[in-house]
Amino acid sequence: MDGVKAPQSSAELLPPLVHSFIRQEYSKVDPALPAMLVVLTEVGAAECWHKKSTFKSHLMEVYKILKIWGADDALARCGLMHSAYSNSFVNLAIFKPDVERSRVAALIGPEAEQLTHRFCVVPRQHLIQVDLLDQLPMGTADLSVPAGGLTVRHIRTGEPLHVDLFELGQFLVLTMADFAEQLFGWQDSMFGNTDGALRLEGA
């Protein structure tokens, strides 16, 4: 009919980045992404269960969230590998940090690998929950962090690790994406997360 606009296609309605994810046109998102996903399959990430899906699926969904939030490649690629060396939450090492860091660096880039390794060796539960969230009055955004950052302990060696404010911000964004992908519905019920404090005090 004259004067009636045709319905818009999904390509017109969605941001190009989101449309590329839906169509699985991953090379448009990051030219290196298809090769990264192949390696994740080769090392068995698609054969490990993680909460509600495979480990590979979880890693990819965290990557998607970060990219859609506008994260740069280093942070997003870290999201794709964020538990690859295992960490303080999960023991799902698909790469050995003592011998395979160079392989991961060649795959995702040195900056992303360095961030990934750091993310895997900080005591994330203590850092995020005790050092940060427990200091935040509920219902406010009034969080004060020392200008010099925080010092935590390496989860394997016990050596002190300094986390500056920028890196702390990266870890917070990564953790938000990580939790957003997996903690909802029955997961919140299981962990007793009734007030949003994420204390993981349930079963």
Side-chain angles (χ1 to χ4, degrees):
M1 295 174 59
D2 291 342
V4 177
K5 290 184 64 176
Q8 290 179 294
S9 68
S10 61
E12 295 172 308
L13 291 169
L14 294 172
L17 176 64
V18 175
H19 199 244
S20 294
F21 276 127
I22 290 173
R23 291 196 167 190
Q24 298 184 17
E25 296 172 337
Y26 296 143
S27 62
K28 291 184 178 180
V29 177
D30 181 339
L33 182 56
M36 296 178 201
L37 295 175
V38 168
V39 172
L40 285 177
T41 298
E42 290 174 348
V43 297
E47 300 160 35
C48 300
W49 186 252
H50 182 280
K51 292 285 178 64
K52 62 181 181 61
S53 59
T54 67
F55 189 36
K56 179 183 177 181
S57 176
H58 169 65
L59 295 174
M60 182 59 181
E61 293 304 313
V62 171
Y63 174 88
K64 286 180 184 178
I65 291 170
L66 289 167
K67 288 296 290 186
I68 291 169
W69 283 354
D72 60 23
D73 279 342
L75 185 59
R77 290 178 179 188
C78 174
L80 187 66
M81 299 284 177
H82 71 271
S83 300
Y85 299 128
S86 80
N87 60 37
S88 59
F89 279 106
V90 296
N91 184 18
L92 281 173
I94 51 177
F95 296 101
K96 299 175 182 178
D98 52 341
V99 295
E100 292 189 286
R101 289 192 61 185
S102 60
R103 179 187 180 190
V104 177
L107 182 65
I108 66 176
E111 183 181 356
E113 191 283 329
Q114 174 68 16
L115 186 59
T116 299
H117 183 260
R118 294 271 292 179
F119 193 67
C120 287
V121 299
V122 297
R124 189 157 56 114
Q125 168 71 9
H126 194 280
L127 176 64
I128 301 299
Q129 187 64 58
V130 178
D131 292 336
L132 296 178
L133 293 184
D134 281 356
Q135 311 306 315
L136 179 65
M138 289 300 293
T140 77
D142 187 19
L143 177 62
S144 177
V145 180
L150 297 169
T151 297
V152 296
R153 294 286 176 179
H154 191 297
I155 63 171
R156 298 187 185 90
T157 68
E159 66 181 299
L161 296 173
H162 180 70
V163 182
D164 64 28
L165 289 183
F166 181 72
E167 190 174 42
L168 184 59
Q170 290 177 305
F171 288 168
L172 280 169
V173 172
L174 276 165
T175 299
M176 286 190 289
D178 183 26
F179 284 5
E181 196 283 323
Q182 61 185 301
L183 296 178
F184 55 86
W186 65 270
Q187 293 279 349
D188 278 340
S189 297
M190 181 176 70
F191 288 117
N193 184 37
T194 58
D195 60 2
L198 291 172
R199 298 182 189 281
L200 306 180
E201 293 176 341

